[in-house]
Amino acid sequence: MKPAIQMKEVTVDFPGPDGQPFRALEGISLDVAEREFVCLVGPSGCGKSTLLNVVAGFERPTHGKVIVEGDLVKGPDPRRIFVFQESAVFPWMTVLQNVALAAKDPSKLQDHISMVGLEGFEQAYPHQLSGGMRQRAEIARALAAEPDVIYMDEPFSALDYFTKLRLRRDLLRIWQEKEMTILFVTHDVEEAMQLADRIVVMGRAPGRILEVVEVPLERPRNIDAPIYLETRDHLLDVLGLS
Amino acid sequence: MTLLLVAMTKAFLLPVLVFVWIATISVLHGFMNLGWTARGSSDGASLVQIGFLPVTCHLTCPVTDFIRRETRGSGLFQPIKFNSWPELKEAFLARKTQATFLLAPMAIALREQGVPIKIVYLGHRDGTAVVVHRESSIRNFSDLRGKTIAVPNRFSNQRLLIFRALRDAGVPISEVNLVEMPPPDMPAALSVKAVDAICSGEPFMGQAELDGYGRVLALTKDMWPGFISCVLAVHEDLIQEQRPLVQEMVDGIAASGLWIDKSADNREQAADFVAKNYYHQNPRLLAYVLSKPADRVTYSSLNLVRENFREIEELGKLSGILSGKASFDDYTDTSFNPKPDSIKAPDFVYDK
Amino acid sequence: MTSDGAVLSPRLNTKLGGLRWASTARPVVALILFGVAWEAGIRWSGTTLLPSPYAVAAAIVELIQQGVLAKYIVASLFRTTWGFGLALLVGLPLGLFLGWFRPAAEALNPVIQILRPISPIAWIPLAILWFGITDAAPIFLIFLASVFPITVSTSAAVHGIPRIYLRAAQNFGVSGWRLWTRVIFPACLPQIITSLRIALGVAWLVVVAAEMIAVNSGLGYLIIDARNAGKRYDLVVAGMLMIGFIGLILDTLIRRLEHLPMVQWGLQNR
């Protein structure tokens, strides 16, 4: 099957403080299959967010390229929606208006809002919602565009533990219903273990792929299962070496 | 459906309110201030506009206008009241007024700078005073040594007057502190003794007297007989294009001047209708400066005389405001001087 | 219930009538005290020039009797409306344009920064030259006073839009006209409204200077004319007070804009 996302030797240099270019990413090559849920995990500074921005088309790589669904990525595209860490729902619009702005099919607005569990808050403004609800709104908006791929940049990291659990559960439900490809960045190993089909472990200086770990377990993941614990320990191991 | 209507109304509410406000305030302004009625708007459009300030020096302007409108139903020109010299002068330079009452030295200086201005008539004679504080020990001009004297605009004849008086008293200008101050502020400055002497046109000198803290040091009629200060000046173009009109204006001003000087009663009437309709000043104040003494300011013999201006030119050069590039024949046009005895004061009585 | 109700949410405040009354009473009491202090000051100093509150009130009554008070207020409001309105029409689009297109900003910014500090009074000679002695001249001066704060604030607001909003908009394929009306402009609106408050205040403040140019109506004209009328300090202070009072009303009105739901996100205290 043709992969949904193909990263080919993606390299990103930034101008460094001393005038020398600073290499944020080095030769990243990775394929993500259709309907796969892949997590990028790594310590801060490993370039995982930068990589996601390049794949989404917000930034250009210095070398290498990204191909998504057969198209060379030159900029952002409504078929591939990015969900930000700090909520990017427009604060001057209600939840409903935000979703409507993105919606491909105006008659399905309510469906998307219900899917994330925000019924009753359609007329609310983002500043009237809690952090978790804002992220839900953002996901609803992303869904309304009916994308094939969703990029998520640490979307739950600013939320409290219980909200995180709830949202992870809801995200998995949505992913399974909608059959989308998801590329998810996180620094939380536990989170990656709960969500991903495959986990890409990244190291820093320069940012590169250390290892790709398969997680062929059924969801919801049993955190007591030996395979689960082994895989997790292996992850921590790989990270510990970076 | 109702929700949609409500939403739409809310969305349009702000722009509609804004539009309603703009329309309302504009219409109100038009009717209340711009005279948007049939009678008002047609009047001002075709008349020549003359600038003036609410000072006694320019009295003939409103008097001519008022008498003319009362007796003939329409005005000869459109008087435009300014509040200070700079705007008056700039409006004239920009051709927004075609004629204006102006300080004589200012008119001469403008001519020197190449402005096509022509003085065609005088505005008045005398009508200025030097006033000191009642409690001060200043009795004559030599007592002004080391003191502060307030004068208006540097192109004013009052400043030249001070120069002349000090020269005649043997006091060098450098031993006196001359400050420039707007005339309306002078009475207050004198009352708090911020300055030692003030000199400007009326009615500000009279005000200091009436309020009790001012004492006249000298009246111009005693210091500089035949003193001229303000003149009627026009654009050269107006002379070329509307010569008869300029003559009519000069004749009208000469006639009103005679009317004002005819009797004390006329002066009181003038004080009343000018103060109320044009100057917005207290009629009592205006009456005071027109009558105490009776020849404090005069409006007759306003024909242009070369000798008057010779002294102004001389003092102007002495005080540094004139360069001498323009001569009497450059900046005046004496062809409008009415023949003696050809002007009669109008038969007009003001009904309070 | 707290002693001054400060911790309660705005919605509660309107329901508890008592609390609302207190917050209106405070400024009224302050004003009354001020008036008393003024009267006392006049009496104690024995001044013959400065007017007492009573004299000022009498002057206002005199203006009403002469039928000019309403005319003057209308005239000043008319000129401020048009001057400020034109400043909005020019300043907002210009600010948006300069904030978005860096080369344009680089080209025009020096010109704007040079013109900005020039007081409207300095423009009077040019205003007379270009607009004569009609209402257009004061309107022009008021326009000049307000257009710069609006332009500069708007352009700074555009510049300061958080990048994620623009990226999100780009991601969803919002572009062109839709980008401006649905994203850029609303994102700047809270800051724009704050600058409107300031600009309106400046516009109204400049009225006095603007009406120095041979107009024959208006509150600024009233003050200038009163100076030329001799000892009419009562009219001067009456004019000042009315300008101040109407300025307060204008400010209160424009602050209502801050209650629009689509800007509350940027103007609320968290």
Side-chain angles (χ1 to χ4, degrees):
Chain A
M1 205 166 55
K2 210 171 58 150
I5 305 174
Q6 295 167 278
M7 298 172 226
K8 296 193 189 296
E9 291 295 321
V10 171
T11 304
V12 175
D13 288 329
F14 288 134
D18 50 351
Q20 293 290 92
F22 155 72
R23 180 145 288 194
L25 288 172
E26 170 106 44
I28 308 287
S29 296
L30 178 70
D31 284 354
V32 175
E34 303 262 354
R35 294 200 290 249
E36 234 198 321
F37 197 128
V38 171
C39 274
L40 301 178
V41 174
S44 60
C46 69
K48 52 193 192 293
S49 289
T50 309
L51 181 60
L52 200 65
N53 278 316
V54 169
V55 172
F58 291 128
E59 286 171 33
R60 291 285 190 91
T62 319
H63 306 288
K65 60 187 175 187
V66 179
I67 298 175
V68 175
E69 297 185 304
D71 305 320
L72 178 66
V73 169
K74 285 188 256 181
D77 189 305
R79 292 171 295 177
R80 298 124 206 180
I81 298 294
F82 198 102
V83 173
F84 297 81
Q85 177 178 12
E86 282 297 317
S87 170
V89 278
F90 300 137
W92 52 87
M93 294 184 182
T94 59
V95 168
L96 187 65
Q97 287 167 330
N98 265 293
V99 174
L101 181 75
K104 222 169 169 181
D105 186 351
S107 64
K108 293 229 208 96
L109 296 182
Q110 200 55 45
D111 294 343
H112 300 122
I113 294 180
S114 308
M115 176 131 286
V116 299
L118 276 181
E119 306 94 337
F121 291 95
E122 292 86 355
Q123 299 305 325
Y125 282 89
H127 68 269
Q128 295 166 324
L129 302 173
S130 69
M133 292 163 76
R134 270 202 292 277
Q135 285 301 73
R136 286 176 195 271
E138 179 150 359
I139 294 173
R141 185 173 72 169
L143 291 178
E146 293 177 37
D148 305 315
V149 184
I150 291 196
Y151 307 112
M152 305 183 90
D153 188 2
E154 304 197 45
F156 306 143
S157 65
L159 305 173
D160 67 272
Y161 184 68
F162 297 105
T163 314
K164 270 198 248 239
L165 293 185
R166 264 201 299 267
L167 284 179
R168 280 184 209 157
R169 182 198 61 199
D170 291 341
L171 178 63
L172 283 175
R173 172 177 47 86
I174 295 170
W175 168 66
Q176 277 157 348
E177 261 191 56
K178 297 282 186 184
E179 299 187 331
M180 301 175 300
T181 310
I182 296 189
L183 189 54
F184 190 108
V185 163
T186 180
H187 62 263
D188 185 342
V189 170
E190 206 64 56
E191 189 163 67
M193 284 296 302
Q194 288 289 319
L195 297 173
D197 291 325
R198 278 193 300 155
I199 301 179
V200 178
V201 185
M202 292 179 68
R204 45 182 271 194
R208 64 201 185 284
I209 297 181
L210 295 175
E211 193 177 319
V212 179
V213 176
E214 300 261 347
V215 192
L217 298 174
E218 276 200 14
R219 296 181 184 85
R221 303 254 159 94
N222 181 358
I223 63 170
D224 294 316
I227 273 198
Y228 181 93
L229 295 169
E230 260 177 52
T231 320
R232 196 203 61 198
D233 288 340
H234 178 66
L235 277 175
L236 291 173
D237 218 19
V238 175
L239 283 165
L241 283 173
S242 71
Chain B
M1 185 58 199
T2 44
L3 267 177
L4 183 62
L5 269 170
V6 168
M8 276 179 62
T9 324
K10 275 195 194 163
F12 285 119
L13 189 62
L14 191 57
V16 166
L17 275 179
V18 168
F19 179 74
V20 166
W21 168 256
I22 294 181
T24 310
I25 199 78
S26 306
V27 168
L28 273 179
H29 181 68
F31 276 106
M32 291 169 96
N33 293 312
L34 297 180
W36 276 1
T37 57
R39 205 162 32 122
S41 55
S42 59
D43 193 34
S46 49
L47 295 179
V48 163
Q49 296 175 298
I50 296 195
F52 73 97
L53 291 183
V55 290
T56 327
C57 306
H58 298 180
L59 197 75
T60 45
C61 184
V63 168
T64 312
D65 188 57
F66 189 80
I67 295 182
R68 183 104 179 192
R69 281 177 204 266
E70 290 290 303
T71 53
R72 296 200 210 182
S74 68
L76 175 60
F77 47 74
Q78 178 66 33
I80 308 275
K81 184 171 86 159
F82 288 82
N83 283 305
S84 67
W85 289 110
E87 285 88 40
L88 174 89
K89 176 186 55 124
E90 277 150 18
F92 179 74
L93 286 175
R95 302 295 196 97
K96 308 301 176 187
T97 52
Q98 294 78 39
T100 184
F101 281 76
L102 195 61
L103 295 163
M106 201 186 268
I108 299 174
L110 285 178
R111 186 79 204 189
E112 283 180 358
Q113 290 164 29
V115 177
I117 182 175
K118 281 283 189 189
I119 301 175
V120 294
Y121 211 48
L122 293 181
H124 67 106
R125 286 197 185 268
D126 305 318
T128 287
V130 181
V131 174
V132 297
H133 200 283
R134 188 168 42 91
E135 294 162 9
S136 83
S137 57
I138 302 173
R139 300 277 161 205
N140 51 51
F141 276 94
S142 38
D143 291 338
L144 286 172
R145 205 179 287 256
K147 301 278 190 253
T148 303
I149 310 177
V151 291
N153 196 293
R154 61 200 346 255
F155 286 94
S156 61
N157 262 57
Q158 284 78 18
R159 189 166 163 271
L160 299 186
L161 182 74
I162 299 287
F163 263 84
R164 187 179 190 270
L166 290 174
R167 181 190 66 186
D168 290 347
V171 177
I173 268 293
S174 52
E175 293 186 27
V176 164
N177 184 18
L178 272 183
V179 296
E180 283 170 37
M181 188 183 289
D185 297 333
M186 287 191 190
L190 186 69
S191 82
V192 298
K193 301 189 188 169
V195 293
D196 299 299
I198 56 177
C199 179
S200 85
E202 301 291 0
F204 304 107
M205 302 296 100
Q207 189 193 316
E209 283 181 79
L210 265 184
D211 285 345
Y213 51 82
R215 167 169 55 84
V216 171
L217 181 63
L219 293 173
T220 28
K221 69 181 186 70
D222 303 318
M223 291 167 56
W224 185 345
F227 175 80
I228 64 167
S229 165
C230 293
V231 297
L232 174 67
V234 303
H235 272 287
E236 267 182 343
D237 290 354
L238 193 66
I239 298 177
Q240 275 162 13
E241 290 159 17
Q242 297 194 56
R243 192 180 183 87
L245 178 65
V246 177
Q247 186 66 62
E248 241 194 303
M249 274 169 22
V250 172
D251 290 344
I253 287 169
S256 340
L258 286 178
W259 184 87
I260 298 172
D261 282 352
K262 195 157 166 203
S263 67
D265 200 38
N266 280 7
R267 290 208 163 198
E268 234 189 279
Q269 291 175 30
D272 204 74
F273 63 71
V274 170
K276 288 190 181 151
N277 298 313
Y278 295 86
Y279 285 9
H280 300 163
Q281 290 167 349
N282 190 342
R284 265 191 60 229
L285 175 62
L286 208 45
Y288 178 81
V289 300
L290 287 177
S291 57
K292 305 265 187 303
D295 56 347
R296 191 174 180 128
V297 54
T298 60
Y299 298 95
S300 321
S301 42
L302 300 177
N303 282 17
L304 300 174
V305 171
R306 188 180 291 260
E307 178 58 27
N308 296 146
F309 285 87
R310 187 197 60 76
E311 220 179 337
I312 293 183
E313 278 186 51
E314 186 191 306
L315 285 166
K317 280 185 268 197
L318 178 70
S319 66
I321 55 171
L322 293 180
S323 66
K325 270 168 44 185
S327 71
F328 181 78
D329 301 300
D330 292 327
Y331 57 77
T332 65
D333 187 334
T334 55
S335 62
F336 296 98
N337 280 349
K339 303 270 182 305
D341 301 326
S342 65
I343 303 288
K344 297 256 182 305
D347 234 328
F348 175 72
V349 178
Y350 171 59
D351 218 350
K352 275 198 193 177
Chain C
M1 186 155 88
T2 60
S3 61
D4 62 353
V7 203
L8 296 172
S9 78
R11 275 174 69 208
L12 269 180
N13 221 347
T14 57
K15 288 190 179 171
L16 295 169
L19 277 169
R20 188 101 185 284
W21 185 88
S23 70
T24 319
R26 276 187 210 114
V28 172
V29 169
L31 282 172
I32 292 178
L33 284 177
F34 176 74
V36 169
W38 175 6
E39 175 77 41
I42 296 288
R43 302 233 176 143
W44 181 73
S45 69
T47 173
T48 54
L49 293 177
L50 287 177
S52 66
Y54 177 75
V56 172
I60 295 182
V61 170
E62 178 191 326
L63 288 171
I64 296 177
Q65 284 173 336
Q66 285 176 352
V68 294
L69 184 62
K71 278 197 206 180
Y72 287 177
I73 293 179
V74 164
S76 292
L77 283 175
F78 169 78
R79 292 169 194 133
T80 307
T81 299
W82 280 93
F84 182 72
L86 286 172
L88 267 184
L89 278 180
V90 169
L92 275 181
L94 183 63
L96 291 172
F97 177 69
L98 289 180
W100 189 252
F101 296 105
R102 159 84 63 97
E106 281 171 10
L108 289 183
N109 246 329
V111 173
I112 292 179
Q113 295 307 329
I114 287 176
L115 291 177
R116 185 153 77 122
I118 302 177
S119 162
I121 298 182
W123 285 94
I124 289 181
L126 288 180
I128 294 180
L129 207 58
W130 292 333
F131 300 98
I133 44 185
T134 58
D135 275 326
I139 289 176
F140 172 66
L141 292 181
I142 294 174
F143 162 80
L144 274 181
S146 358
V147 79
F148 293 111
I150 293 177
T151 307
V152 171
S153 279
T154 305
S155 122
V158 172
H159 217 61
I161 299 179
R163 198 167 58 166
I164 53 168
Y165 296 146
L166 297 175
R167 281 191 169 175
Q170 209 185 358
N171 202 187
F172 288 111
V174 180
S175 65
W177 184 242
R178 260 179 103 215
L179 184 66
W180 282 94
T181 55
R182 309 301 305 281
V183 178
I184 298 179
F185 185 67
C188 299
L189 211 47
Q191 207 165 332
I192 289 178
I193 288 189
T194 306
S195 83
L196 287 194
R197 241 189 107 194
I198 296 174
L200 182 60
V202 170
W204 186 243
L205 184 134
V206 162
V207 151
V208 175
E211 291 180 353
M212 279 167 72
I213 314 179
V215 295
N216 56 10
S217 55
L219 292 173
Y221 165 78
L222 170 68
I223 293 178
I224 296 164
D225 198 38
R227 291 182 70 198
N228 271 318
K231 203 177 60 168
R232 293 310 307 263
Y233 291 85
D234 54 342
L235 279 177
V236 170
V237 176
M240 288 165 66
L241 278 183
M242 279 189 294
I243 288 181
F245 189 62
I246 294 182
L248 172 66
I249 294 178
L250 288 177
D251 189 60
T252 308
L253 283 177
I254 206 166
R255 293 201 66 180
R256 306 304 313 274
L257 282 181
E258 291 173 2
H259 292 294
L260 282 176
M262 58 185 285
V263 294
Q264 289 212 323
W265 57 275
L267 293 172
Q268 260 186 356
N269 290 328
R270 305 270 162 148

